[in-house]
Amino acid sequence: MAASHADIVATRLIAGGAAALAFSVFADSGLEHYRGSFANPTMVLPIGSAVLGLTMNGRRSAKPESSGSEVPTISHVGSAAIGVIGLGFHAYNILKRPGGASFNNLFYGAPAGAPATLILSGMLGGIADRMAKGEETIATLGLRSGRMVAGVVSIGILGSVAEAGLLHFRGAYHDPFMWLPVTLPPVAALSLARDVVSDEAHSITTGLLAATAALGLIGVGFHAYGVARNMGGFRNWRQNILAGPPLPAPPAFTGLAIAGLGALLLMKKGSRRG
């Protein structure tokens, strides 16, 4: 059965969102693990996995038709698995410090939730891959309803909000704009969750997700400004990029919001058909 136009566009959006998440992981893990001098050889794994995920999802977004290759599936499963392992390593890094799971260790230890971005990239990439193959199985038909995708995105946004909230709390919310990532995205996530429960896509959710996607890009500018404020600014970029706010972190909101827009498109198609 040939995929509809809505299915194709939704597949592009979901794969594009997964690619954005993979890029965020690649850049963020690259910087953070470089700062850690790659003390553990496994610290190269999320970087390699993110590069492969970025390649596979980027190709899927550009060409949503399936090539029949199993390489994308292996890539997505590998990304999710490495993300799960990464959560364990980061938790161990925090808990082994004096004081255990204290605020100080959560602030300055390995970022507790960062590897979850790789899990989300793998999950969304796998969903786009299944949709591109056009298999008429119960699982694939469930994905095409959009509700499962929307649920994953909603949870992912709330997780990203928790990570941003923790780090912005460390920064004492010294800039009023630091409240935006902990106010707008949660509203978008809850609106999307409401749509999942009601099985109806609302236009306000589309607007909130679009605003969240834009916020992720704007956040890069704010983080760049934060880097520039350090001694030497970007002239001393080797030190300040590592010490300042993470430049690659905000686009995680953009990737999740783009995938959420794909889920809404599928839900709207389903409601019209119903």
Side-chain angles (χ1 to χ4, degrees), residues 59-193:
R59 289 180 60 185
R60 178 69 71 215
S61 180
K63 186 180 179 182
E65 299 82 9
S66 176
S67 63
S69 172
E70 293 301 318
V71 174
T73 300
I74 296 171
S75 167
H76 304 320
V77 172
S79 291
I82 291 171
V84 171
I85 294 169
L87 286 176
F89 274 115
H90 283 211
Y92 172 72
N93 178 274
I94 292 169
L95 295 174
K96 74 176 183 179
R97 294 166 177 258
S102 64
F103 270 114
N104 188 64
N105 290 338
L106 288 171
F107 287 156
Y108 298 106
T117 306
L118 192 57
I119 298 174
L120 291 166
S121 178
M123 291 179 66
L124 292 172
I127 288 170
D129 191 45
R130 290 289 298 274
M131 290 183 60
K133 289 180 178 179
E135 301 169 351
E136 294 301 325
T137 64
I138 293 176
T140 305
L141 290 173
L143 294 176
R144 288 182 181 170
S145 73
R147 296 177 71 188
M148 184 182 298
V149 185
V152 170
V153 169
S154 180
I155 294 171
I157 290 176
L158 291 176
S160 297
V161 168
E163 186 79 10
L166 180 68
L167 296 180
H168 285 191
F169 178 69
R170 183 182 73 181
Y173 290 95
H174 63 273
D175 189 323
F177 287 106
M178 294 174 74
W179 288 100
L180 284 176
V182 296
T183 51
L184 174 60
V187 175
L190 293 175
S191 182
L192 187 59

